Amino acid sequence: MSPAANSNLFAALRAAFPADLDAIAIETDSGLDYSWRDLDRATAMLANLLQSLEIPAGSRVAAHTEKSVEALMLYLATLRAGLVYLPLNTAYQAAELDYFLGNAEPAVVVCAGKNFPWISQLAFQKGVAHVFTLNDDRTGTLLDRAAHFPDTHEIAPKAAGDLAAILYTSGTTGRSKGAMLSHGNLLSNAQVLKDFWDWREGDVLIHALPIFHVHGLFVASHGALLNGSKMLWLAKFDPKAVVERLPRATVFMGVPTLYVRLLQEAGLTREACAQMRLFISGSAPLLIETFRDWQARTGHTILERYGMSETIMLTSNPCRAADGEPEPRRLGGTVGPALPGVGVRVVDDQGAALPVDEIGNVQVRGPNVFGGYWRMPEKTAEEFTADGWFRTGDVGRFDAQGYLTIVGRSKDLIITGGYNVYPAEIEGWLNDMPGVAESAVVGVPHPDFGEGVIALIVPKAGAVLDADALVARLKAQIAGYKVPKRAFVVTELPRNAMGKVQKNLLRDAHRALFTG
Ligand code: AMP
């Protein structure tokens, strides 16, 4: 099959490799250089190994591995072999793995050697036929076995609708669901972003994100690969290592907490960022203060975008300036307009479209939207409207310029005494108060109001806050029903690996506050 006729995502990525295969594709923080030829050969060997297992098309390859270039190669080889990649956060322990392996029924599991005793036992109990090891220092049985296979491989033919990867959602309520993403979903989104973010010759990406999540695995890696761009690869985020690499890079992608940590580095200066073209933030809301501090310190305006595991990227602030404008119009606090070819609408609970500035449910459709949840047809049916839009579960509003602002997750919406309270609004007021670094507002059961609003407030370094005084101030600013009934000063907010505040943990911790 000619590469053009093959909709395998790997075929498109491979076709974008530069003509000079000896150029460096990935430079790691442990001092290793991988050429494009290395990527081609190693993924061929791994794909040949996977195909030698003679597992049926569509079989899942689960990876519970630390971030390494070889782990990225395993992903690419899985695509190349026409199998389905299933990345798992290495923080997952036995109970979680038990669920994922039982639900996804992978044919192959790859894990670190140190975890082999317990993961292999679990995997074999679940009927997994092949368990390999892969460590972050280029050792393990996966590479040992692959070394015996040829370094050329014909990319497996795939249709655009064929499954490429399953990403389990973080599942803060109920069981985690496996979002099924096809080769076409992934490629269409990568192509849109390549153009929209103006990827160009000479771009160099600092890759500092984990690769078990949509942001690091798809948005960052596909972006660089589809542009034939070099990656400066960090196995773990380290603010000093990022700052050191800025003068040799042009693009950085991070979750908001990475930007907050980078701002604490004295070396983050305009000079250090002089070569940089684009700083992109997503996966969680970027505080307006971070957006402004970044502008003041570096002279760069962070581009915030919005997406999710089920849909990859949905909206983005602009990369380029519009005709006649000096600067791209990137509005802090917003996630920008819908990406080209992506439909985004805001509707009320009955599904009727809402006018500009009104808050409602965000629904999306487009070639990037997943096919459904793995083995959960009822859940899938619930999450799509009759006319084919996916209910994101996010709540937001459009402004008159078509820029979307995400107000929160619908399950985080608080209904107190029959009134809706959008946590992001109250958090915004609190965050603006002197001495407040950030805050989280949640609803917990209340005997009179159904839910009572409470706030957790983190002070800025060195600031001493009086929670009651902040609440008193808020009372003078906003409607009484929105004002937290209780507020607590805390040292930090619980966050997951992607920097999202885990509001479910806050609700659980304060569940009995009003009900005793
Ligand atoms: P995940 O599937 O883990 O990537 O989580 C997706 C969710 O992250 C979305 O549904 C949003 O709630 C949230 N999210 C992603 N990007 C942003 C953003 N820029 N601002 C606010 N929330 C975001």
Side-chain angles (χ1 to χ4, degrees):
M1 187 183 272
S2 77
N6 188 355
S7 294
N8 189 318
L9 167 65
F10 185 80
L13 300 177
R14 176 64 187 85
F17 282 19
D20 177 10
L21 287 179
D22 292 318
I24 296 174
I26 305 182
E27 181 187 309
T28 72
D29 47 354
S30 51
L32 294 173
D33 287 341
Y34 292 80
S35 67
W36 293 95
R37 192 184 307 284
D38 293 334
L39 288 194
D40 189 35
R41 291 182 51 217
T43 55
M45 291 157 93
L46 286 164
N48 282 321
L49 162 61
L50 292 172
Q51 283 185 329
S52 78
L53 304 175
E54 294 186 347
I55 49 184
S59 293
R60 277 75 59 208
V61 176
H64 185 271
T65 51
E66 294 301 339
K67 181 178 177 183
S68 69
V69 176
E70 286 69 26
L72 179 70
M73 287 173 171
L74 172 62
Y75 162 56
L76 297 174
T78 303
L79 296 174
R80 192 169 182 159
L83 300 168
V84 177
Y85 192 65
L86 169 56
L88 293 168
N89 186 340
T90 43
Y92 290 147
Q93 312 261 347
E96 289 142 325
L97 240 58
D98 186 78
Y99 168 71
F100 291 121
L101 299 185
N103 187 253
E105 295 187 317
V108 179
V109 170
V110 182
C111 65
K114 65 173 195 259
N115 295 326
F116 183 79
W118 66 272
I119 292 186
S120 61
Q121 193 187 16
L122 202 64
F124 292 136
Q125 276 167 10
K126 298 276 172 204
V128 177
H130 309 276
V131 182
F132 295 101
T133 61
L134 175 63
N135 303 312
D136 57 5
D137 61 356
R138 293 186 298 154
T139 61
T141 57
L142 183 78
L143 301 178
D144 292 346
R145 288 278 302 277
H148 299 287
F149 285 85
D151 63 1
T152 56
H153 170 268
E154 190 154 339
I155 301 169
K158 284 282 145 187
D162 287 342
L163 196 54
I166 299 178
L167 284 199
Y168 276 88
T169 57
S170 38
T172 46
T173 50
R175 277 299 195 192
S176 181
K177 307 180 286 286
M180 298 192 288
L181 293 158
S182 68
H183 288 263
N185 291 148
L186 296 170
L187 181 58
S188 70
N189 206 242
Q191 284 167 333
V192 166
L193 294 178
K194 175 172 155 52
D195 178 53
F196 197 77
W197 289 344
D198 205 10
W199 280 92
R200 56 181 81 158
E201 207 176 335
D203 267 338
V204 175
L205 171 77
I206 300 179
H207 195 305
L209 290 161
I211 56 168
F212 54 75
H213 184 263
V214 57
H215 199 164
L217 183 65
F218 300 149
V219 186
S221 306
H222 292 169
L225 292 170
L226 197 60
N227 195 50
S229 275
K230 179 156 113 181
M231 290 189 249
L232 304 179
W233 185 266
L234 300 181
K236 291 214 159 47
F237 171 73
D238 167 5
K240 284 201 168 34
V242 171
V243 170
E244 260 170 38
R245 284 161 178 74
L246 288 172
R248 294 195 295 124
T250 63
V251 182
F252 175 78
M253 296 186 194
V255 298
T257 42
L258 303 198
Y259 286 97
V260 172
R261 289 190 52 200
L262 283 165
L263 279 165
Q264 289 159 6
E265 286 299 313
L268 181 79
T269 59
R270 278 179 185 251
E271 297 69 52
C273 298
Q275 297 301 315
M276 287 295 293
R277 182 173 75 73
L278 193 55
F279 288 97
I280 300 174
S281 175
S283 294
L286 181 73
L287 290 179
I288 191 75
E289 194 174 7
T290 313
F291 177 83
R292 291 194 188 126
D293 288 351
W294 195 269
Q295 248 170 354
R297 269 283 276 292
T298 69
H300 286 270
T301 307
I302 297 175
L303 176 158
E304 185 168 4
R305 92 307 178 272
Y306 155 66
M308 59 198 308
S309 305
E310 290 91 334
T311 64
I312 337 171
M313 295 301 100
L314 292 164
T315 71
S316 171
N317 273 279
C319 182
R320 304 178 184 94
D323 284 346
E325 291 193 9
E327 299 279 335
R329 194 181 294 194
R330 298 182 195 151
L331 301 184
T334 83
V335 294
L339 283 164
V342 178
V344 180
R345 68 182 188 187
V346 172
V347 299
D348 66 14
D349 288 344
Q350 284 67 49
L354 285 170
V356 154
D357 288 335
E358 282 200 29
I359 294 176
N361 305 306
V362 179
Q363 299 185 345
V364 301
R365 70 174 174 193
N368 51 309
V369 175
F370 77 136
Y373 293 111
W374 174 256
R375 291 187 176 159
M376 292 188 184
E378 297 84 17
K379 194 77 206 156
T380 303
E382 265 171 40
E383 302 300 348
F384 281 90
T385 65
D387 55 348
W389 292 72
F390 172 61
R391 305 177 208 270
T392 62
D394 288 313
V395 177
R397 69 178 134 78
F398 275 113
D399 69 11
Q401 301 174 65
Y403 282 52
L404 183 69
T405 297
I406 301 294
V407 177
R409 298 285 300 161
S410 59
K411 63 176 192 293
D412 293 331
L413 175 85
I414 304 166
I415 304 181
T416 182
Y419 291 110
N420 285 359
V421 176
Y422 299 102
E425 183 197 344
I426 319 306
E427 289 158 6
W429 287 105
L430 287 168
N431 296 349
D432 275 347
M433 293 188 183
V436 175
E438 59 174 346
S439 58
V441 168
V442 296
V444 293
H446 191 289
D448 299 331
F449 300 104
E451 280 185 293
V453 180
I454 67 164
L456 294 302
I457 305 167
V458 181
K460 282 193 174 142
V464 179
L465 293 180
D466 174 347
D468 294 338
L470 295 177
V471 169
R473 247 179 112 143
L474 210 50
K475 270 201 183 111
Q477 292 175 306
I478 56 174
Y481 71 90
K482 297 183 190 172
V483 175
K485 297 197 168 23
R486 293 286 300 277
F488 305 92
V489 174
V490 295
T491 49
E492 61 178 0
L493 299 174
R495 290 199 140 86
N496 72 9
M498 298 311 293
K500 288 187 220 298
V501 176
Q502 293 167 299
K503 291 201 164 173
N504 56 321
L505 298 185
L506 295 175
R507 278 191 289 265
D508 288 347
H510 297 280
R511 185 156 295 284
L513 190 66
F514 299 116
T515 54

